[in-house]
């Protein structure tokens, strides 16, 4: 397996030249596009890795499955379903557009910013600071690193420039979908996006979703299997932004990317994968990361379809 990963590393790392690091959050523009790392957990929890697998980067949208899981744990499936839908487009089959329609939960899903921002309101806690701390605890538990923390520079950079996310949150508020102060909610979201991980920690999180919540080390059920199925299904249909269909064809398993360059890959019952390369394609997905997952999927026959 290590030989396969090293070959993938050699083949894919140069592909970063075809993409560009995110710069709409100024601090992210400092990422080194040459970095490439991959880690995967299989079977009884054997880890394999190659490249810059210990390099740290911010989770960004990869935290969305964790926001969804925490909302499911705290408020239950009905509350989550009532607030945020599960459809990739949220549009009827013959829609031209629905830009003048009132926004409802049916139009959004947990893997886009509006959905994730709305779901922060279903995480329990007296303050949004407390809600974020609970989410960070979940990330620490699932990643296997109790020291996981926030990249303060990225957090402040996003907070200073994240007006589009504020606008989305105000839209949710205008349509009565959220009620708390927008600044508190988006602060929780910005902090969550700024949690720093490496490929090993991502693979750990992914492996738990692959094993439906059961920790291979302790044999403990860390979260209910039905929540893992919920999250994995949404990742399969919506996890790679508007590149999710293409990803399903080329790679074929649930995954979530983030604009920090990471991708979390979940091969149900088989494998958890963390891959990182910060240069992104036009849709915001890591160019080399997607190709690495595609090669791995071909090599090991990982497509679930
Ligand atoms: N923090 C980023 C934002 O909301 C996350 C986006 C992403 O990774 O897709 O703009």
């Amino acid at each position: 397996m290590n030989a396969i990963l090293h070959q993938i590393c050699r083949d894919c790392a140069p592909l970063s030249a075809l993409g560009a690091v995110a710069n709409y959050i100024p601090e992210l523009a400092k990422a080194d596009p040459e970095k490439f790392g991959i880690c995967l957990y299989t079977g009884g929890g054997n880890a394999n890795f190659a490249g810059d697998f210990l390099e740290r980067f911010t989770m960004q949208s990869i935290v969305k499955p964790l926001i969804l899981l925490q909302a499911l744990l705290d408020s239950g499936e009905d509350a989550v379903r009532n607030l945020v839908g599960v459809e990739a487009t949220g549009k009827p089959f013959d829609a031209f557009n629905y830009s003048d329609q009132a926004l409802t939960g049916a139009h959004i899903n947990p893997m886009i910013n509006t959905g994730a921002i709305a779901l922060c309101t279903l995480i329990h806690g007296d303050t949004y600071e407390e809600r974020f701390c609970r989410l960070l605890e979940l990330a620490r538990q699932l990643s296997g690193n109790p020291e996981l923390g926030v990249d303060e520079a990225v957090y402040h950079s996003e907070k200073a420039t994240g007006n589009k996310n504020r606008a989305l949150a105000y839209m949710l508020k205008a349509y009565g979908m959220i009620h708390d102060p927008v600044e508190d909610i988006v602060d929780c979201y910005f902090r969550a996006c700024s949690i720093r991980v490496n490929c090993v920690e991502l693979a750990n999180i992914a492996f738990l979703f692959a094993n439906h919540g059961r920790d291979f080390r302790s044999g403990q059920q860390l979260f209910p299997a039905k929540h893992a199925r919920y999250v994995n299904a949404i990742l399969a249909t919506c996890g790679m932004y508007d590149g999710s269909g293409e990803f399903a064809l080329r790679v074929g398993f649930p995954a979530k990317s983030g604009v920090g360059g990471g991708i979390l890959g979940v091969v149900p019952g088989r494998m958890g994968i963390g891959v990182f390369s910060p240069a992104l394609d036009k849709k915001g997905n890591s160019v080399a990361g997607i190709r690495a997952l595609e090669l791995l999927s071909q090599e090991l026959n990982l497509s679930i379809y």
Side-chain angles (χ1 to χ4, degrees), residues 43-115:
N46 301 318
N48 295 86
F49 25 76
D52 304 304
F53 61 93
L54 291 178
E55 181 76 17
R56 297 206 155 270
F57 50 92
T58 52
M59 291 185 88
Q60 298 300 331
S61 273
I62 301 173
V63 80
K64 287 176 173 133
L66 299 191
I67 293 176
L68 172 59
L69 176 60
Q70 189 70 64
L72 286 165
L73 288 167
D74 286 355
S75 297
E77 195 172 317
D78 288 347
V80 167
R81 277 300 294 270
N82 284 339
L83 183 62
V84 175
V86 295
E87 301 303 341
T89 73
K91 295 181 187 181
F93 76 97
D94 58 351
F96 289 112
N97 70 56
Y98 55 81
S99 56
D100 291 330
Q101 270 178 261
L103 184 74
T104 72
H107 297 132
I108 62 179
N109 72 61
M111 296 304 137
I112 57 172
N113 290 12
T114 32

Side-chain angles (χ1 to χ4, degrees), residues 186-270:
V186 294
D187 187 69
C188 174
Y189 172 76
F190 294 150
R191 272 183 213 269
C193 289
S194 306
I195 295 173
R196 264 155 51 105
V197 290
N198 60 31
C199 290
V200 180
E201 290 150 3
L202 268 195
N204 245 306
I205 297 172
F207 197 47
L208 279 166
F209 282 106
N211 286 324
H212 299 106
R214 208 178 67 82
D215 182 8
F216 61 84
R217 291 192 192 91
S218 62
Q220 229 185 318
Q221 191 71 34
L222 296 186
F223 53 87
K226 65 176 181 177
H227 292 344
R229 274 195 294 276
Y230 195 110
V231 172
N232 291 345
I234 308 282
L235 294 187
T237 51
C238 313
M240 299 296 285
Y241 312 106
D242 48 344
S244 298
E246 178 86 15
F247 186 84
L249 281 177
R250 284 175 55 191
V251 183
F253 49 76
K256 183 73 202 89
S257 60
V259 294
I263 306 178
L264 167 117
V266 178
V267 191
R270 282 185 72 180

Side-chain angles (χ1 to χ4, degrees), residues 110-124:
M111 296 304 137
I112 57 172
N113 290 12
T114 32
I117 290 168
L119 287 178
C120 288
T121 68
L122 293 186
I123 296 175
H124 288 172

